[in-house]
Amino acid sequence: MIDAQGTAPRTHPPDLVELSAVSIEDGIMDRPVTWRVRPKERISRRGHKVHGISNADVALCPPFAAVAEAVRTYFGDAIPVGHNVRTSLGVMARKLPDWRPVEALDTLRLVLSTLDIRERRLSVLAEHLGLTGNIPEHLRPQGATWNALVTARLFVHLANNFGRQWTVSELRERGQWLCPHPVSRMQLLGERLTQ
């Protein structure tokens, strides 16, 4: 699971502020891994309102270049999964242009194709499906770590929906976001994003 939070400028693609991931292997979730970095630009008021991270919070954090190799190693050739995953992939494509996932899974697409729910917001979906229990109090909804953890829970919930475990192929059919030319497509998406 992947979630990225950014500076949220209104006029150009965001720079990375926080990146979180939760790996799932054989149905078992690992603990979240989070990288908070000092962006090249200031965090906008809008960005601060969304994720709660201030410019003071990142003033002493390393720049992304200092953690890039650790991030690249962590993700390796894993299939990224996220809620509205293209947003996080757009940020990642700008920070790691040589990281090229062939595909990604989108939990938003999975929700819309498997459940009779039209809600799109992760926080509301998580509450509705009872996925927010035992989350540490210091984690804030819309923060990258909270989002990655809840997205992992949502993915496991969806994979085990309807009284049986879905296969990866079935999940792909319902939530796949193909990246046939990953970098150019993700960069294009990133250029369109203003969040």
Side-chain angles (χ1 to χ4, degrees):
M1 301 316 116
I2 182 175
D3 189 78
Q5 296 296 321
T7 52
R10 290 193 180 275
T11 58
H12 55 279
D15 195 7
L16 182 68
V17 173
E18 189 172 62
L19 174 67
S20 289
V22 175
S23 67
I24 298 178
E25 205 164 322
D26 297 324
I28 299 172
M29 286 190 303
D30 204 351
R31 292 176 179 234
V33 175
T34 301
W35 296 272
R36 187 174 283 186
V37 296
R38 185 178 65 247
K40 294 178 181 177
E41 62 184 41
R42 294 184 56 78
I43 299 168
S44 70
R45 284 187 202 142
R46 191 175 77 166
H48 175 68
K49 186 176 179 182
V50 169
H51 49 62
I53 302 169
S54 70
N55 288 295
D57 293 334
V58 296
L60 299 178
C61 290
F64 183 79
V67 300
E69 193 54 42
V71 171
R72 189 179 289 107
T73 299
Y74 180 88
F75 284 101
D77 61 357
I79 298 172
V81 178
H83 198 73
N84 197 10
V85 71
R86 69 183 186 152
T87 303
S88 295
L89 291 176
V91 173
M92 291 286 290
R94 288 188 299 281
K95 299 311 271 185
L96 291 175
D98 60 333
W99 181 65
R100 300 175 182 219
V102 175
E103 65 178 330
L105 293 177
D106 191 336
T107 56
L108 177 57
R109 285 186 179 191
L110 286 170
V111 164
L112 296 175
S113 68
T114 60
L115 302 178
D116 190 22
I117 298 173
R118 294 296 145 228
E119 178 60 53
R120 295 174 171 270
R121 291 172 296 171
L122 181 60
S123 57
V124 176
L125 283 167
E127 194 66 41
H128 176 76
L129 297 171
L131 304 175
T132 59
N134 298 323
I135 292 181
E137 289 183 20
H138 70 278
L139 297 182
R140 172 188 170 147
Q142 298 306 318
T145 306
W146 190 94
N147 286 356
L149 182 58
V150 170
T151 299
R153 290 179 178 186
L154 176 60
F155 184 74
V156 169
H157 175 83
L158 293 168
N160 293 298
N161 201 12
F162 307 118
R164 68 179 181 87
Q165 189 168 21
W166 291 68
T167 66
V168 171
S169 295
E170 289 171 317
L171 291 170
R172 278 187 174 124
E173 286 175 22
R174 289 170 156 63
Q176 187 175 44
W177 189 75
L178 291 171
C179 311
H181 303 289
V183 173
S184 59
R185 183 171 181 179
M186 287 188 287
Q187 285 173 335
L188 176 63
L189 284 167
E191 289 168 11
R192 292 180 183 166
L193 294 174
T194 58
Q195 297 181 24

CSV table of all heavy atoms in Angstrom, one decimal, residues 2-4 15 27 44 49 60 70 90-91 95 101-102 112 118 132 135 138-139 142 145 149 154-155 168 174 190:
chain,number,residue,atom,x,y,z
A,2,ILE,N,0.4,2.2,-0.7
A,2,ILE,CA,1.3,3.4,-0.8
A,2,ILE,C,0.4,4.7,-0.6
A,2,ILE,O,-0.8,4.7,-1.1
A,2,ILE,CB,2.0,3.4,-2.2
A,2,ILE,CG1,2.9,4.7,-2.3
A,2,ILE,CG2,1.0,3.4,-3.3
A,2,ILE,CD1,3.7,4.7,-3.6
A,3,ASP,N,0.9,5.7,0.0
A,3,ASP,CA,0.2,7.0,0.1
A,3,ASP,C,1.3,8.0,0.1
A,3,ASP,O,2.3,7.9,0.9
A,3,ASP,CB,-0.7,7.1,1.3
A,3,ASP,CG,-1.6,8.3,1.1
A,3,ASP,OD1,-2.5,8.3,0.4
A,3,ASP,OD2,-1.2,9.3,1.8
A,4,ALA,N,1.1,9.1,-0.6
A,4,ALA,CA,2.0,10.2,-0.7
A,4,ALA,C,1.3,11.5,-0.4
A,4,ALA,O,0.2,11.7,-0.9
A,4,ALA,CB,2.7,10.3,-2.0
A,15,ASP,N,5.2,18.8,-4.6
A,15,ASP,CA,6.5,18.1,-4.2
A,15,ASP,C,6.1,17.2,-3.0
A,15,ASP,O,5.2,17.5,-2.2
A,15,ASP,CB,7.5,19.2,-3.8
A,15,ASP,CG,8.9,18.6,-3.8
A,15,ASP,OD1,9.1,17.4,-4.1
A,15,ASP,OD2,9.8,19.3,-3.3
A,27,GLY,N,-1.2,-12.2,2.8
A,27,GLY,CA,-2.4,-11.8,3.5
A,27,GLY,C,-2.0,-11.2,4.9
A,27,GLY,O,-2.9,-10.8,5.7
A,44,SER,N,1.8,24.4,1.2
A,44,SER,CA,0.8,25.5,1.1
A,44,SER,C,-0.2,25.3,2.3
A,44,SER,O,-0.2,24.3,3.0
A,44,SER,CB,0.0,25.3,-0.2
A,44,SER,OG,-0.8,24.1,-0.1
A,49,LYS,N,-3.7,22.0,5.7
A,49,LYS,CA,-5.0,21.7,6.2
A,49,LYS,C,-5.4,20.2,5.9
A,49,LYS,O,-6.0,19.6,6.7
A,49,LYS,CB,-6.0,22.6,5.5
A,49,LYS,CG,-7.4,22.5,6.0
A,49,LYS,CD,-8.3,23.5,5.3
A,49,LYS,CE,-9.7,23.4,5.8
A,49,LYS,NZ,-10.6,24.3,5.1
A,60,LEU,N,13.8,20.2,9.5
A,60,LEU,CA,15.0,19.5,9.8
A,60,LEU,C,15.0,18.1,9.2
A,60,LEU,O,15.9,17.3,9.5
A,60,LEU,CB,15.2,19.4,11.3
A,60,LEU,CG,15.3,20.7,12.1
A,60,LEU,CD1,15.4,20.5,13.6
A,60,LEU,CD2,16.5,21.5,11.6
A,70,ALA,N,16.7,4.1,-0.2
A,70,ALA,CA,15.9,3.3,0.7
A,70,ALA,C,14.4,3.1,0.2
A,70,ALA,O,13.9,2.0,0.3
A,70,ALA,CB,15.8,3.9,2.1
A,90,GLY,N,1.9,9.6,-9.4
A,90,GLY,CA,2.4,10.8,-10.0
A,90,GLY,C,3.5,11.4,-9.3
A,90,GLY,O,4.5,11.9,-9.8
A,91,VAL,N,3.3,11.5,-7.9
A,91,VAL,CA,4.4,12.1,-7.1
A,91,VAL,C,5.6,11.2,-7.1
A,91,VAL,O,6.7,11.7,-7.3
A,91,VAL,CB,3.9,12.2,-5.6
A,91,VAL,CG1,5.0,12.6,-4.7
A,91,VAL,CG2,2.7,13.2,-5.5
A,95,LYS,N,9.7,11.9,-8.3
A,95,LYS,CA,10.8,11.7,-7.4
A,95,LYS,C,11.8,10.6,-7.8
A,95,LYS,O,13.0,10.6,-7.5
A,95,LYS,CB,10.3,11.5,-6.0
A,95,LYS,CG,9.5,12.6,-5.4
A,95,LYS,CD,10.1,14.0,-5.6
A,95,LYS,CE,11.0,14.4,-4.5
A,95,LYS,NZ,11.5,15.8,-4.6
A,101,PRO,N,6.8,0.8,-12.2
A,101,PRO,CA,5.8,-0.3,-12.0
A,101,PRO,C,5.0,-0.5,-13.3
A,101,PRO,O,4.7,0.5,-14.0
A,101,PRO,CB,4.9,0.1,-10.9
A,101,PRO,CG,5.0,1.6,-10.9
A,101,PRO,CD,6.4,1.9,-11.4
A,102,VAL,N,4.8,-1.7,-13.7
A,102,VAL,CA,4.1,-2.0,-14.9
A,102,VAL,C,2.6,-1.9,-14.7
A,102,VAL,O,1.8,-1.6,-15.6
A,102,VAL,CB,4.4,-3.5,-15.4
A,102,VAL,CG1,3.6,-3.9,-16.6
A,102,VAL,CG2,5.9,-3.6,-15.7
A,112,LEU,N,-15.6,0.6,-5.9
A,112,LEU,CA,-16.7,0.9,-6.8
A,112,LEU,C,-17.2,-0.3,-7.6
A,112,LEU,O,-18.4,-0.4,-8.0
A,112,LEU,CB,-16.3,2.0,-7.7
A,112,LEU,CG,-16.1,3.4,-7.0
A,112,LEU,CD1,-15.6,4.4,-8.0
A,112,LEU,CD2,-17.3,3.9,-6.2
A,118,ARG,N,-21.1,4.1,-3.0
A,118,ARG,CA,-20.6,5.1,-4.0
A,118,ARG,C,-19.7,6.1,-3.3
A,118,ARG,O,-19.2,7.0,-4.0
A,118,ARG,CB,-21.8,5.8,-4.6
A,118,ARG,CG,-22.6,4.9,-5.5
A,118,ARG,CD,-21.8,4.4,-6.7
A,118,ARG,NE,-22.2,3.0,-7.0
A,118,ARG,CZ,-21.3,2.1,-7.2
A,118,ARG,NH1,-20.1,2.3,-7.1
A,118,ARG,NH2,-21.7,0.9,-7.6
A,132,THR,N,-11.2,1.3,11.2
A,132,THR,CA,-10.4,2.3,11.9
A,132,THR,C,-10.0,2.0,13.3
A,132,THR,O,-9.4,2.8,14.0
A,132,THR,CB,-11.1,3.7,11.9
A,132,THR,OG1,-12.3,3.6,12.5
A,132,THR,CG2,-11.3,4.2,10.5
A,135,ILE,N,-6.1,2.1,15.6
A,135,ILE,CA,-5.1,2.9,14.9
A,135,ILE,C,-4.5,3.9,16.0
A,135,ILE,O,-5.2,4.5,16.7
A,135,ILE,CB,-5.7,3.7,13.8
A,135,ILE,CG1,-6.2,2.7,12.7
A,135,ILE,CG2,-4.8,4.8,13.2
A,135,ILE,CD1,-6.8,3.4,11.5
A,138,HIS,N,-1.9,9.1,17.4
A,138,HIS,CA,-1.1,10.2,16.8
A,138,HIS,C,-1.2,10.3,15.3
A,138,HIS,O,-0.8,11.2,14.7
A,138,HIS,CB,0.3,10.1,17.2
A,138,HIS,CG,1.1,8.9,16.6
A,138,HIS,ND1,1.0,7.7,17.2
A,138,HIS,CD2,1.8,8.8,15.6
A,138,HIS,CE1,1.7,6.8,16.4
A,138,HIS,NE2,2.2,7.5,15.4
A,139,LEU,N,-1.8,9.2,14.7
A,139,LEU,CA,-2.0,9.2,13.3
A,139,LEU,C,-3.3,9.9,12.9
A,139,LEU,O,-4.3,9.7,13.5
A,139,LEU,CB,-2.0,7.8,12.7
A,139,LEU,CG,-0.8,7.0,12.9
A,139,LEU,CD1,-0.9,5.6,12.3
A,139,LEU,CD2,0.4,7.7,12.3
A,142,GLN,N,-6.0,11.4,6.6
A,142,GLN,CA,-5.4,12.2,5.5
A,142,GLN,C,-3.9,12.2,5.6
A,142,GLN,O,-3.2,12.7,4.6
A,142,GLN,CB,-6.0,13.6,5.3
A,142,GLN,CG,-7.5,13.6,5.0
A,142,GLN,CD,-7.8,12.7,3.8
A,142,GLN,OE1,-7.1,12.7,2.8
A,142,GLN,NE2,-8.9,11.9,3.9
A,145,THR,N,0.7,8.0,6.7
A,145,THR,CA,0.7,6.8,7.4
A,145,THR,C,-0.7,6.2,7.7
A,145,THR,O,-1.0,5.1,7.5
A,145,THR,CB,1.5,6.9,8.7
A,145,THR,OG1,2.8,7.5,8.4
A,145,THR,CG2,1.7,5.6,9.4
A,149,LEU,N,-2.1,2.7,6.1
A,149,LEU,CA,-2.6,1.7,7.0
A,149,LEU,C,-4.0,1.3,6.7
A,149,LEU,O,-4.4,0.2,6.6
A,149,LEU,CB,-2.4,2.1,8.4
A,149,LEU,CG,-2.8,1.1,9.5
A,149,LEU,CD1,-2.0,-0.2,9.4
A,149,LEU,CD2,-2.6,1.8,10.9
A,154,LEU,N,-8.3,-1.9,4.0
A,154,LEU,CA,-9.4,-1.9,3.0
A,154,LEU,C,-9.1,-3.0,2.0
A,154,LEU,O,-10.0,-3.7,1.5
A,154,LEU,CB,-9.5,-0.5,2.4
A,154,LEU,CG,-10.6,-0.4,1.2
A,154,LEU,CD1,-12.0,-0.7,1.7
A,154,LEU,CD2,-10.5,1.0,0.7
A,155,PHE,N,-7.9,-3.0,1.5
A,155,PHE,CA,-7.5,-4.0,0.5
A,155,PHE,C,-7.7,-5.4,1.0
A,155,PHE,O,-8.3,-6.3,0.3
A,155,PHE,CB,-6.0,-3.8,0.1
A,155,PHE,CG,-5.6,-4.7,-1.0
A,155,PHE,CD1,-6.0,-4.5,-2.3
A,155,PHE,CD2,-4.7,-5.8,-0.7
A,155,PHE,CE1,-5.6,-5.3,-3.3
A,155,PHE,CE2,-4.3,-6.6,-1.8
A,155,PHE,CZ,-4.7,-6.4,-3.1
A,168,VAL,N,-5.6,-12.8,-7.1
A,168,VAL,CA,-4.9,-11.6,-7.6
A,168,VAL,C,-5.5,-11.3,-9.0
A,168,VAL,O,-5.7,-10.1,-9.3
A,168,VAL,CB,-3.4,-11.8,-7.6
A,168,VAL,CG1,-2.7,-10.6,-8.4
A,168,VAL,CG2,-2.8,-11.9,-6.2
A,174,ARG,N,-10.7,-6.0,-11.4
A,174,ARG,CA,-11.6,-4.9,-10.9
A,174,ARG,C,-10.9,-3.6,-10.5
A,174,ARG,O,-11.5,-2.6,-10.5
A,174,ARG,CB,-12.3,-5.5,-9.6
A,174,ARG,CG,-13.3,-6.5,-10.0
A,174,ARG,CD,-13.8,-7.2,-8.7
A,174,ARG,NE,-15.1,-7.8,-8.8
A,174,ARG,CZ,-15.5,-8.8,-9.6
A,174,ARG,NH1,-14.6,-9.3,-10.5
A,174,ARG,NH2,-16.7,-9.3,-9.6
A,190,GLY,N,0.9,13.6,-13.3
A,190,GLY,CA,1.4,14.5,-12.3
A,190,GLY,C,1.3,15.9,-12.8
A,190,GLY,O,1.0,16.8,-12.0
